[in-house]
Amino acid sequence: MQLGLFDTLRSKPIRLPVAPHGSVLHAASDPDFTFRLPHPRMVWDRAEIEVHRHEDGMWMWSASFMADSEGSSYRVGPKWGKFAETREDALFFAVEELEARIGKKAGSDAALILKWLNALKDNPEAFK
């Protein structure tokens, strides 16, 4: 991951080993913040980011997408070992993760997701 000029103001993400039998938020529980890029015709979203505060005060994130004929999805939780000191940092790292996973994929869905991610990154209004 290449950091930009303003990225140096962020704390580094805290990465712990994945806990195969660890926990994620239950289906009935809502994360503190959810950012969605809906699909206009399908029941799934093109992209979704969940940001949730862990009981220890750190912030966790998940980053899911469905672009053209491929995608991946996971629920936010300590199981994945992805933590940040602030909710803004958690959102930023989720955006970075999706950008890396989508990479240079061709297709209209991938292009729309990347445009949406650019709008979210460093957006001070995202949590209002």
Side-chain angles (χ1 to χ4, degrees):
M1 167 174 24
Q2 174 135 7
L3 295 177
L5 176 63
F6 295 108
D7 301 340
T8 57
L9 301 175
R10 300 194 178 283
S11 298
K12 291 184 178 185
I14 299 162
R15 299 302 303 259
L16 302 174
V18 171
H21 303 290
S23 64
V24 297
L25 254 75
H26 298 287
S29 300
D30 288 328
D32 293 329
F33 300 94
T34 304
F35 302 89
R36 288 188 168 92
L37 178 61
H39 194 288
R41 294 182 313 276
M42 304 298 185
V43 295
W44 56 80
D45 296 319
R46 282 189 171 116
E48 179 182 84
I49 293 173
E50 295 177 333
V51 176
H52 189 74
R53 191 170 204 158
H54 189 258
E55 59 195 29
D56 68 2
M58 298 297 286
W59 289 87
M60 308 174 287
W61 73 88
S62 69
S64 304
F65 77 97
M66 182 64 182
D68 305 302
S69 62
E70 64 181 288
S72 70
S73 179
Y74 64 97
R75 187 84 167 146
V76 68
K79 171 180 183 161
W80 307 114
K82 298 177 181 181
F83 296 91
E85 291 184 16
T86 68
R87 65 185 185 169
E88 291 80 6
D89 285 352
L91 174 60
F92 179 84
F93 297 133
V95 168
E96 291 280 308
E97 178 182 330
L98 275 179
E99 286 176 334
R101 286 171 46 207
I102 292 172
K104 298 187 188 325
K105 292 183 186 349
S108 58
D109 284 342
L112 285 170
I113 293 169
L114 290 171
K115 184 177 178 181
W116 176 71
L117 291 172
N118 246 356
L120 273 179
K121 193 186 279 188
D122 292 323
N123 180 354
E125 300 295 314
F127 289 102
K128 293 186 179 183

